[in-house]
Amino acid sequence: MRKVLLFIPLILFLVLGSIFYLQLGKNTQYMPSALVGKKVPGFTLVSLETDQLVTQEDLPDGPYLINFWGTWCPACHLEHPFLIELADEGVIIIGIDYKDEKNLAQQWLAQKGNPYANVLMDEIGRFGVDMGVTGAPETFVVDRSGMIVYRHQGVINAQNWPVIKSHLK
C-alpha cells in the first residue's frame, strides 16, 4: 500500500500536465456568450442625441456592432480612436452608453468625435444585464439577419479587429 502512495505525486503531475497541455494555444480572453446565435434582446432605451425612445425594431438591417462604453471607463478612452477609424471605413456601430451620465457622454462625443450611428442610454444597466455584459468596453457583432454572432470583451484595436471583422457579415 505504501508503494501505491508513492505514485500519487506522479499521477497528480500527469493529470495537471494533461490539463495544462490541452489549454495551450487557446484564447484565454474569449468568453462565449449565451446570446450567440440569438436575436438582440428586446429593449426600450433613450437616444442620447434625440431623447426619443428606441427599441430593437429601430436597429439597422445590415451587419453592425453594438458597443457598450462609458465615460468612466479608462479602456473606452483607448478604444475610442479606433472606433472613429472603423466608422470612417463604414462600419456601423450602435453605442450603448453604459451606466453613465448623459451630460458626460455628450461632452465626451463632442470632444472626441462620435463613431456611433446611434447612441442609446443604458443608465441603470438593465440592457447590459440582458446582453450579459460584464463591463465596458464590450462589443457584440450582429449579422445581416439580426443574430448576435460574436462577443468581444475589452478594447477593439488593430490587433483583434481581423477576428471581429471576420464575424461581421
Side-chain angles (χ1 to χ4, degrees), residues 15-155:
V15 169
L16 290 175
S18 298
I19 291 170
F20 292 138
Y21 179 77
L22 293 173
Q23 296 300 316
L24 287 176
K26 291 187 175 180
N27 182 355
T28 57
Q29 301 297 315
Y30 178 70
M31 290 184 62
S33 170
L35 293 179
V36 170
K38 296 181 180 175
K39 297 269 186 188
V40 174
F43 65 86
T44 301
L45 297 173
V46 176
S47 170
L48 178 72
E49 296 150 325
T50 64
D51 286 332
Q52 293 185 346
L53 294 179
V54 177
T55 69
Q56 69 276 14
E57 305 296 325
D58 300 313
L59 291 174
D61 291 330
Y64 60 93
L65 304 176
I66 297 176
N67 176 254
F68 286 80
W69 63 280
T71 59
W72 49 267
C73 162
C76 298
H77 289 266
L78 298 173
E79 180 184 60
H80 198 78
F82 193 73
L83 295 180
I84 296 282
E85 288 179 32
L86 294 180
D88 289 344
E89 294 173 10
V91 175
I92 299 171
I93 308 169
I94 303 298
I96 307 294
D97 188 29
Y98 186 61
K99 297 182 178 179
D100 206 354
E101 294 180 27
K102 181 178 181 178
N103 61 336
L104 295 177
Q106 289 172 327
Q107 289 173 4
W108 163 295
L109 295 175
Q111 292 171 352
K112 296 178 178 275
N114 185 352
Y116 303 109
N118 199 353
V119 180
L120 308 176
M121 299 291 300
D122 188 16
E123 293 169 306
I124 60 173
R126 183 175 178 166
F127 182 56
V129 168
D130 292 344
M131 292 287 288
V133 171
T134 58
E138 193 160 318
T139 303
F140 294 84
V141 178
V142 180
D143 71 4
R144 292 184 193 283
S145 64
M147 296 286 187
I148 296 170
V149 294
Y150 188 74
R151 171 189 186 191
H152 177 80
Q153 291 180 299
V155 173

